Amino acid sequence: MRAAPAAARRWRPPPLIANPWLRIAVLAGAALYLVLALGTVEVNWARLSDGWARGLRFVSGFLEPNFSRRWDDILQGMIESLSMTVTSTVVGIAISVPIGIGAARNLVPRPVYLLCRAIIAVSRSLQEIIVAILLVAMVGFGPFAGFLTLSFATIGFLSKLLAEDIEDIDPAPVEAIRATGTPWPSLIAFGVLPQVAPRLLGLSLYRLDINFRESAVVGIVGAGGIGATLNTAIDRYEFDSAAAILILIIAIVMASEYVSGLVRGWAK
Amino acid sequence: MLTIAGLSKRYAKGDKALDDVSLGVPAGQVVGLIGPSGAGKSTLIRCVNRLVEPTSGSIRLGDTEITRLGGAGLRRARRRMGMIFQEYALVERLTVMENVLSGRLGYVGFWRAFLRRFPQADIDRAFAVLDRVGLLDHVDKRADQLSGGQRQRVGIARALVQEPDILLVDEPTASLDPKTSRQIMRLIVEVCAERQLAAIVNIHDVALAQMFVQRIIGLRAGRVVFDGPPEALDTDALTTIYGEEDWSRTIREAHDDAANEAAAQETVRALRAQTKPPTVARAL
């Protein structure tokens, strides 16, 4: 015979902040700040309604994209953008892999780790546009500045994510291969790279995609590519040409998304 | 072949994993190292190939003083020591052949390794050991497509292809079913006999150890508390190693198992066919 429970015992998940007064103060403070912050952005309904009309004109321009008027410019911009994308991705990956390995805590001595992490931090803290402005000032207008910008940005992105993936690998096979008397470079080639290969491939394809989209953005500040063409079209109020360019960009990004999905599935 | 003298290991946290351990293993002898979890079995075999740095003491492999080696010298010494792991420690995404050839990485340069262009002599060695462990049909399969027993055979092949002088074996059967465990233990003992390899086998399963090894060393709290032939391992010895417990059934079953094992081997040899597998009285 089982004895009846004396009393139903209550249970609630423990709150994130144990002190109830502190909990209420934090919530109330956050709500108050949100209200005050909204007050400072000067929501202007008149400007929004004016902008609405301009926006509609912009969108209506897009309903009839014009590929032919600026076709030569568009073609040249696209070729520049694509070559900028491919070269910067390849160069970026080539530099990122060693830096990513160096930034993995479980593989290298502390000074190397700190150096590689510092390189990544510098690359990540500078947004593409800012780097592009700097590089256009340094090497002049054109796709070379864009190539340098995107290579630089790729390093921060790919090295960081690769390093984190390397830190998560299964250490057992690495220990086993080390125990056979394998020198460090071969240990990386046999024990580490195969474990991160699918992720590296996926990240590289994703970065190719990002670099193409970014090539359109850095073009606006003078670093060549389709962005320069797009900027010119918008400056001249040629929304139909701008629409044509945007449609091409979207089509290429979607195509690359589809292809990278295929490749990743095949390389599991 | 292997001589350990006064070996101690103290971890940074302060607990002493090994305390003045001394033992010698001649060529061709398979030693079973038993003891409770945390007794220092794993630390001991990892000190031999310096995956763990010993605090004090001496380890000699042949004429080489392992504890004084650094860099290239240590790598050369490790080439002579094959290691086999509990969870196989294979690179799952590489093929069986690549995993086996990783046992030769101490001998080939980086670009050969990176491009998988191994010398023909190494490939011949790899095929020979794969034949020995019975995996010739799975050469180009990825390691993650194999069963546990097959994976451990790859692990054994990787150690053998080094052409080592000694095998360091860390819980080879802990992830395997009882029948596969015996097959793997038998394979390890046989290849050691064929190649005159010394071996230290960490093992939790006392009965399995008694069945296969020629000598048992009991470790408790980092100290050697038993060293003798498997027959000498009685209930008193097990109490010394593991602490108070009713050991009588473990021992008796062990002997029954050994008899079963011998009988089963006979049957298999006689019939050369799949017969009823040896009955395992009870998992220990």
Side-chain angles (χ1 to χ4, degrees):
Chain A
M1 284 282 273
R2 197 136 53 98
R9 279 203 261 175
R10 276 163 49 81
W11 182 86
R12 288 281 164 84
L16 202 59
I17 303 169
N19 184 333
W21 292 107
L22 183 64
R23 195 159 65 232
I24 290 165
V26 166
L27 282 176
L32 184 67
Y33 178 78
L34 186 65
V35 170
L36 291 177
L38 271 177
T40 62
V41 292
E42 297 174 18
V43 180
N44 187 329
W45 298 106
R47 267 167 63 187
L48 197 60
S49 68
D50 284 359
W52 188 250
R54 272 201 297 273
L56 277 182
R57 230 184 312 146
F58 197 76
V59 170
S60 65
F62 275 73
L63 293 178
E64 35 202 287
N66 185 335
F67 289 88
S68 56
R69 185 172 351 142
R70 300 255 163 223
W71 180 245
D72 290 346
D73 291 345
I74 293 174
L75 191 66
Q76 203 211 335
M78 275 295 173
I79 290 170
E80 267 184 25
S81 260
L82 284 173
S83 51
M84 198 195 296
T85 303
V86 172
T87 51
S88 66
T89 306
V90 170
V91 169
I93 292 168
I95 301 173
S96 301
V97 171
I99 292 180
I101 291 169
R105 204 181 315 224
N106 49 349
L107 291 183
V108 296
R110 189 111 183 121
V112 178
Y113 167 78
L114 290 175
L115 175 71
C116 292
R117 284 283 166 175
I119 295 172
I120 292 174
V122 169
S123 167
R124 277 171 52 79
S125 58
L126 297 174
Q127 215 274 336
E128 275 95 336
I129 301 277
I130 297 166
V131 178
I133 291 171
L134 185 71
L135 284 168
V136 167
M138 277 169 63
V139 303
F141 290 102
F144 182 57
F147 159 74
L148 290 179
T149 304
L150 296 180
S151 304
F152 181 77
T154 303
I155 293 168
F157 173 87
L158 209 64
S159 305
K160 183 182 161 70
L161 294 177
L162 181 64
E164 266 152 32
D165 206 40
I166 292 176
E167 287 176 350
D168 284 341
I169 59 171
D170 179 3
V174 180
E175 185 185 43
I177 292 176
R178 183 178 286 133
T180 66
T182 303
W184 191 84
S186 302
L187 179 70
I188 300 296
F190 253 79
V192 177
L193 289 182
Q195 292 199 54
V196 297
R199 178 100 167 122
L200 178 60
L201 181 71
L203 287 174
S204 301
L205 290 169
Y206 182 40
R207 188 65 216 187
L208 188 74
D209 203 281
I210 295 177
N211 277 350
F212 180 72
R213 277 180 285 146
E214 292 293 338
S215 80
V217 178
V218 296
I220 294 173
V221 296
I226 193 68
T229 321
L230 180 65
N231 198 30
T232 311
I234 291 177
D235 281 350
R236 293 177 181 164
Y237 297 102
E238 291 173 6
F239 292 143
D240 48 358
S241 292
I245 293 169
L246 284 179
I247 287 168
L248 285 175
I249 291 175
I250 291 167
I252 289 177
V253 168
M254 286 175 78
S256 87
E257 175 70 31
Y258 178 70
V259 171
S260 74
L262 285 186
V263 173
R264 264 178 290 179
W266 160 80
K268 268 248 164 57
Chain B
M1 177 51 60
L2 180 76
T3 315
I4 298 176
L7 181 69
S8 292
K9 168 66 187 176
R10 184 186 287 279
Y11 282 110
K13 274 169 270 170
D15 41 348
K16 212 159 191 184
L18 292 176
D19 189 4
D20 194 25
V21 170
S22 296
L23 57 98
V25 186
Q29 188 179 63
V30 180
V31 176
L33 192 59
I34 64 171
S37 301
K41 305 190 296 294
S42 214
T43 304
L44 177 57
I45 67 166
R46 281 177 161 73
C47 278
V48 174
N49 62 6
R50 296 256 311 268
L51 289 175
V52 168
E53 284 299 326
T55 310
S56 62
S58 140
I59 301 167
R60 297 180 72 82
L61 182 66
D63 295 330
T64 316
E65 172 60 55
I66 306 282
T67 47
R68 292 216 200 90
L69 297 174
L74 178 59
R75 282 202 300 277
R76 264 197 301 281
R78 280 177 175 168
R79 297 194 304 207
R80 299 167 57 200
M81 301 185 272
M83 193 161 181
I84 297 167
F85 296 81
Q86 173 181 346
E87 302 275 4
Y88 329 122
L90 306 177
V91 183
E92 301 276 300
R93 296 181 47 78
L94 293 184
T95 61
V96 167
M97 186 50 125
E98 284 173 303
N99 271 295
V100 172
L101 283 171
S102 68
R104 298 302 297 176
L105 287 176
Y107 295 92
V108 303
F110 170 75
W111 287 108
R112 274 179 174 271
F114 187 74
L115 301 170
R116 310 294 195 258
R117 292 274 178 272
F118 282 82
Q120 187 58 44
D122 286 343
I123 293 170
D124 292 342
R125 284 186 182 98
F127 273 116
V129 295
L130 281 168
D131 190 19
R132 178 63 190 85
V133 303
L135 287 177
L136 270 188
D137 295 340
H138 304 283
V139 170
D140 284 328
K141 265 194 194 163
R142 256 167 58 161
D144 54 11
Q145 293 176 306
L146 302 180
S147 70
Q150 289 173 325
R151 287 184 203 204
Q152 193 55 290
R153 285 168 191 275
V154 178
I156 294 169
R158 175 176 62 191
L160 290 181
V161 84
Q162 291 177 243
E163 299 184 342
D165 298 324
I166 185 169
L167 286 184
L168 306 168
V169 190
D170 194 11
E171 302 284 359
T173 61
S175 312
L176 300 173
D177 67 65
K179 182 169 182 229
T180 313
S181 294
R182 290 183 184 198
Q183 292 170 335
I184 291 295
M185 278 302 290
R186 191 176 307 127
L187 177 62
I188 291 172
V189 169
E190 281 174 3
V191 296
C192 286
E194 287 163 16
R195 297 165 184 240
Q196 280 299 292
L197 297 181
I200 302 180
V201 184
N202 283 356
I203 188 159
H204 268 306
D205 188 334
V206 175
L208 195 66
Q210 281 183 306
M211 205 181 294
F212 287 103
V213 304
Q214 299 146 27
R215 174 182 167 197
I216 285 184
I217 292 177
L219 218 53
R220 178 174 194 174
R223 286 178 162 277
V224 174
V225 294
F226 176 86
D227 186 347
E231 305 83 58
L233 192 69
D234 52 20
T235 53
D236 289 344
L238 283 173
T239 302
T240 317
I241 298 167
Y242 289 100
E244 204 62 54
E245 183 57 70
D246 177 14
W247 298 111
S248 56
R249 292 185 61 78
T250 307
I251 300 291
R252 200 173 60 234
E253 277 180 26
H255 289 305
D256 291 351
D257 272 4
N260 282 347
E261 172 74 7
Q265 269 179 333
E266 285 300 315
T267 324
V268 169
R269 224 172 273 137
L271 293 178
R272 281 264 174 231
Q274 185 69 44
T275 55
K276 207 169 73 172
T279 45
V280 179
R282 185 155 59 85
L284 290 167

